[in-house]
Short mmCIF file of all heavy atoms in Angstrom, two decimals:
data_model
loop_
_atom_site.label_atom_id
_atom_site.label_comp_id
_atom_site.label_asym_id
_atom_site.label_seq_id
_atom_site.Cartn_x
_atom_site.Cartn_y
_atom_site.Cartn_z
N PRO B 1002 62.31 5.43 -77.80
CA PRO B 1002 62.42 5.41 -79.22
C PRO B 1002 62.54 6.95 -79.69
O PRO B 1002 61.97 7.80 -79.11
CB PRO B 1002 61.06 4.79 -79.73
CG PRO B 1002 60.12 4.95 -78.61
CD PRO B 1002 60.88 4.95 -77.36
N SER B 1003 63.29 7.07 -80.73
CA SER B 1003 63.39 8.41 -81.32
C SER B 1003 62.10 8.87 -81.87
O SER B 1003 61.26 8.07 -82.59
CB SER B 1003 64.48 8.37 -82.32
OG SER B 1003 64.15 7.63 -83.42
N ARG B 1004 61.82 10.13 -81.61
CA ARG B 1004 60.45 10.55 -81.99
C ARG B 1004 60.60 11.50 -83.30
O ARG B 1004 61.52 12.34 -83.34
CB ARG B 1004 59.77 11.35 -80.81
CG ARG B 1004 59.52 10.49 -79.74
CD ARG B 1004 58.70 11.05 -78.69
NE ARG B 1004 58.48 10.24 -77.56
CZ ARG B 1004 58.08 10.54 -76.42
NH1 ARG B 1004 57.86 11.78 -76.18
NH2 ARG B 1004 57.84 9.71 -75.47
N ASP B 1005 59.73 11.39 -84.16
CA ASP B 1005 59.69 12.19 -85.21
C ASP B 1005 58.27 12.95 -85.29
O ASP B 1005 57.36 12.51 -85.79
CB ASP B 1005 59.82 11.28 -86.66
CG ASP B 1005 59.91 12.08 -87.85
OD1 ASP B 1005 60.29 13.31 -87.73
OD2 ASP B 1005 59.57 11.52 -88.86
N PRO B 1006 58.25 14.14 -84.64
CA PRO B 1006 57.07 14.84 -84.56
C PRO B 1006 56.56 15.23 -85.88
O PRO B 1006 57.30 15.84 -86.75
CB PRO B 1006 57.43 16.10 -83.71
CG PRO B 1006 58.93 16.25 -83.78
CD PRO B 1006 59.52 14.83 -84.10
N GLN B 1007 55.31 15.14 -86.02
CA GLN B 1007 54.52 15.51 -87.34
C GLN B 1007 53.73 16.75 -87.00
O GLN B 1007 53.12 16.89 -85.90
CB GLN B 1007 53.67 14.39 -87.77
CG GLN B 1007 54.26 13.06 -88.16
CD GLN B 1007 55.40 13.19 -89.35
OE1 GLN B 1007 55.11 13.92 -90.19
NE2 GLN B 1007 56.52 12.46 -89.26
N PRO B 1008 53.71 17.69 -87.93
CA PRO B 1008 52.81 18.92 -87.73
C PRO B 1008 51.39 18.50 -87.75
O PRO B 1008 51.05 17.51 -88.48
CB PRO B 1008 53.19 19.73 -88.83
CG PRO B 1008 53.71 18.97 -89.91
CD PRO B 1008 54.35 17.77 -89.16
N LEU B 1009 50.51 19.05 -86.86
CA LEU B 1009 49.11 18.77 -86.82
C LEU B 1009 48.43 19.25 -88.19
O LEU B 1009 48.82 20.44 -88.77
CB LEU B 1009 48.38 19.48 -85.73
CG LEU B 1009 48.75 18.95 -84.35
CD1 LEU B 1009 48.10 19.86 -83.37
CD2 LEU B 1009 48.38 17.58 -84.17
N VAL B 1010 47.52 18.45 -88.71
CA VAL B 1010 46.91 18.72 -90.00
C VAL B 1010 45.72 19.53 -89.67
O VAL B 1010 44.75 19.08 -88.91
CB VAL B 1010 46.51 17.36 -90.79
CG1 VAL B 1010 45.83 17.67 -92.04
CG2 VAL B 1010 47.83 16.60 -91.06
N THR B 1011 45.48 20.66 -90.30
CA THR B 1011 44.37 21.49 -90.17
C THR B 1011 43.32 21.11 -91.28
O THR B 1011 43.56 20.95 -92.43
CB THR B 1011 44.59 22.98 -90.17
OG1 THR B 1011 45.29 23.26 -91.48
CG2 THR B 1011 45.50 23.39 -89.07
N PRO B 1012 42.06 20.94 -90.82
CA PRO B 1012 41.06 20.65 -91.83
C PRO B 1012 40.91 21.76 -92.91
O PRO B 1012 41.12 22.89 -92.68
CB PRO B 1012 39.71 20.46 -91.06
CG PRO B 1012 40.13 20.43 -89.63
CD PRO B 1012 41.51 21.09 -89.59
N LYS B 1013 40.50 21.34 -94.11
CA LYS B 1013 40.32 22.41 -95.18
C LYS B 1013 39.03 23.12 -95.14
O LYS B 1013 38.87 24.27 -95.67
CB LYS B 1013 40.32 21.62 -96.54
CG LYS B 1013 41.73 20.97 -96.77
CD LYS B 1013 42.80 21.79 -96.93
CE LYS B 1013 44.15 21.05 -97.20
NZ LYS B 1013 45.25 21.82 -96.84
N LYS B 1014 37.93 22.50 -94.34
CA LYS B 1014 36.69 23.24 -94.33
C LYS B 1014 36.07 22.90 -93.02
O LYS B 1014 36.56 21.89 -92.30
CB LYS B 1014 35.83 23.08 -95.51
CG LYS B 1014 35.34 21.59 -95.73
CD LYS B 1014 34.58 21.55 -96.93
CE LYS B 1014 33.96 20.00 -97.09
NZ LYS B 1014 33.09 19.98 -98.18
N ALA B 1015 34.96 23.49 -92.69
CA ALA B 1015 34.18 23.33 -91.36
C ALA B 1015 33.53 21.87 -91.36
O ALA B 1015 33.38 21.42 -92.37
CB ALA B 1015 33.37 24.45 -91.04
N ASN B 1016 33.31 21.40 -90.11
CA ASN B 1016 32.65 20.17 -89.92
C ASN B 1016 33.36 18.93 -90.44
O ASN B 1016 32.67 17.81 -90.65
CB ASN B 1016 31.28 20.17 -90.40
CG ASN B 1016 30.41 21.15 -89.63
OD1 ASN B 1016 30.56 21.37 -88.43
ND2 ASN B 1016 29.44 21.82 -90.30
N ILE B 1017 34.56 18.93 -90.62
CA ILE B 1017 35.37 17.80 -91.04
C ILE B 1017 35.88 16.94 -89.77
O ILE B 1017 35.85 15.78 -89.65
CB ILE B 1017 36.48 18.03 -91.93
CG1 ILE B 1017 35.94 18.50 -93.31
CG2 ILE B 1017 37.39 16.93 -92.25
CD1 ILE B 1017 36.95 18.91 -94.38
N SER B 1018 36.44 17.84 -88.76
CA SER B 1018 37.05 17.33 -87.69
C SER B 1018 36.54 18.13 -86.45
O SER B 1018 36.60 19.23 -86.42
CB SER B 1018 38.55 17.26 -87.76
OG SER B 1018 39.15 16.88 -86.55
N TRP B 1019 36.09 17.26 -85.34
CA TRP B 1019 35.69 17.87 -84.01
C TRP B 1019 36.57 17.34 -82.97
O TRP B 1019 37.10 16.35 -82.99
CB TRP B 1019 34.23 17.56 -83.76
CG TRP B 1019 33.23 18.18 -84.86
CD1 TRP B 1019 33.40 18.95 -85.73
CD2 TRP B 1019 31.75 17.87 -84.82
NE1 TRP B 1019 32.25 19.34 -86.42
CE2 TRP B 1019 31.24 18.64 -85.76
CE3 TRP B 1019 31.04 17.09 -83.95
CZ2 TRP B 1019 29.93 18.62 -86.05
CZ3 TRP B 1019 29.55 17.11 -84.31
CH2 TRP B 1019 29.13 17.84 -85.27
N SER B 1020 36.63 18.19 -81.94
CA SER B 1020 37.38 17.77 -80.71
C SER B 1020 36.34 17.77 -79.53
O SER B 1020 35.60 18.69 -79.45
CB SER B 1020 38.50 18.60 -80.56
OG SER B 1020 39.52 18.48 -81.65
N LEU B 1021 36.58 16.83 -78.61
CA LEU B 1021 35.88 16.90 -77.27
C LEU B 1021 36.83 17.20 -76.25
O LEU B 1021 37.95 16.76 -76.27
CB LEU B 1021 35.30 15.49 -77.05
CG LEU B 1021 34.23 15.01 -78.10
CD1 LEU B 1021 33.98 13.49 -77.69
CD2 LEU B 1021 33.04 15.81 -77.96
N ASP B 1022 36.27 17.95 -75.24
CA ASP B 1022 37.16 18.25 -74.15
C ASP B 1022 36.30 18.45 -72.98
O ASP B 1022 35.16 18.94 -72.94
CB ASP B 1022 37.87 19.59 -74.34
CG ASP B 1022 38.84 20.04 -73.24
OD1 ASP B 1022 39.32 18.96 -72.68
OD2 ASP B 1022 39.15 21.11 -73.09
N PHE B 1023 36.72 17.89 -71.74
CA PHE B 1023 36.11 18.01 -70.48
C PHE B 1023 36.88 19.05 -69.59
O PHE B 1023 38.03 18.98 -69.63
CB PHE B 1023 36.10 16.67 -69.72
CG PHE B 1023 35.14 15.62 -70.25
CD1 PHE B 1023 35.66 14.66 -71.15
CD2 PHE B 1023 33.78 15.69 -70.05
CE1 PHE B 1023 34.79 13.73 -71.60
CE2 PHE B 1023 33.00 14.62 -70.51
CZ PHE B 1023 33.48 13.76 -71.34
N MET B 1024 36.11 19.83 -68.89
CA MET B 1024 36.66 20.74 -68.00
C MET B 1024 35.82 20.56 -66.70
O MET B 1024 34.63 20.30 -66.78
CB MET B 1024 36.59 22.27 -68.54
CG MET B 1024 37.38 22.47 -69.68
SD MET B 1024 37.18 24.12 -70.36
CE MET B 1024 37.76 25.11 -68.97
N SER B 1025 36.48 20.85 -65.60
CA SER B 1025 35.75 20.85 -64.23
C SER B 1025 36.15 22.06 -63.39
O SER B 1025 37.21 22.46 -63.52
CB SER B 1025 36.13 19.52 -63.55
OG SER B 1025 37.39 19.55 -63.25
N ASP B 1026 35.28 22.41 -62.57
CA ASP B 1026 35.42 23.42 -61.61
C ASP B 1026 34.51 23.18 -60.38
O ASP B 1026 33.67 22.28 -60.49
CB ASP B 1026 35.00 24.83 -62.25
CG ASP B 1026 35.82 26.02 -61.56
OD1 ASP B 1026 36.44 25.70 -60.55
OD2 ASP B 1026 35.70 27.10 -62.04
N SER B 1027 34.68 24.05 -59.38
CA SER B 1027 33.71 23.84 -58.19
C SER B 1027 33.03 25.20 -57.97
O SER B 1027 33.65 26.21 -58.12
CB SER B 1027 34.58 23.41 -57.05
OG SER B 1027 35.59 24.41 -56.68
N LEU B 1028 31.91 25.07 -57.36
CA LEU B 1028 31.09 26.13 -56.92
C LEU B 1028 31.59 26.67 -55.57
O LEU B 1028 32.49 25.92 -54.95
CB LEU B 1028 29.64 25.85 -56.81
CG LEU B 1028 28.91 25.40 -58.14
CD1 LEU B 1028 27.57 24.87 -57.97
CD2 LEU B 1028 29.05 26.49 -59.14
N GLU B 1029 31.14 27.74 -55.08
CA GLU B 1029 31.50 28.37 -53.83
C GLU B 1029 31.11 27.44 -52.67
O GLU B 1029 31.95 27.36 -51.69
CB GLU B 1029 30.87 29.71 -53.58
CG GLU B 1029 31.32 30.43 -52.39
CD GLU B 1029 30.81 31.76 -52.39
OE1 GLU B 1029 30.72 32.59 -53.41
OE2 GLU B 1029 30.41 32.13 -51.26
N ASP B 1030 30.08 26.63 -52.86
CA ASP B 1030 29.65 25.81 -51.74
C ASP B 1030 30.37 24.48 -51.76
O ASP B 1030 30.20 23.67 -50.83
CB ASP B 1030 28.18 25.55 -51.68
CG ASP B 1030 27.64 25.00 -52.97
OD1 ASP B 1030 28.40 24.66 -53.86
OD2 ASP B 1030 26.45 24.73 -53.12
N GLY B 1031 31.36 24.29 -52.72
CA GLY B 1031 32.07 23.01 -52.80
C GLY B 1031 31.69 22.00 -53.78
O GLY B 1031 32.44 21.03 -53.89
N ARG B 1032 30.46 22.20 -54.30
CA ARG B 1032 30.03 21.20 -55.32
C ARG B 1032 30.92 21.44 -56.65
O ARG B 1032 31.09 22.48 -57.04
CB ARG B 1032 28.51 21.38 -55.62
CG ARG B 1032 27.62 20.99 -54.39
CD ARG B 1032 26.21 21.14 -54.70
NE ARG B 1032 25.87 22.47 -55.08
CZ ARG B 1032 24.83 22.83 -55.97
NH1 ARG B 1032 24.04 22.04 -56.29
NH2 ARG B 1032 24.66 24.16 -56.17
N THR B 1033 31.07 20.24 -57.22
CA THR B 1033 31.94 20.33 -58.49
C THR B 1033 30.94 20.12 -59.63
O THR B 1033 29.85 19.41 -59.51
CB THR B 1033 32.89 19.32 -58.56
OG1 THR B 1033 32.26 17.98 -58.37
CG2 THR B 1033 33.97 19.32 -57.47
N PHE B 1034 31.24 20.75 -60.81
CA PHE B 1034 30.53 20.54 -61.93
C PHE B 1034 31.45 20.41 -63.11
O PHE B 1034 32.60 20.72 -63.05
CB PHE B 1034 29.54 21.76 -62.21
CG PHE B 1034 30.31 23.07 -62.61
CD1 PHE B 1034 30.51 23.43 -63.89
CD2 PHE B 1034 30.61 23.85 -61.50
CE1 PHE B 1034 31.20 24.67 -64.15
CE2 PHE B 1034 31.30 25.06 -61.75
CZ PHE B 1034 31.66 25.50 -63.02
#
């Protein structure tokens, strides 16, 4: 389908919209966190 990209809306003040993100990495001994 043809896409109509919309610009992201930025909140007007703090604490209106939050985002969650996961990141992962590994230690020198191979364990991941």
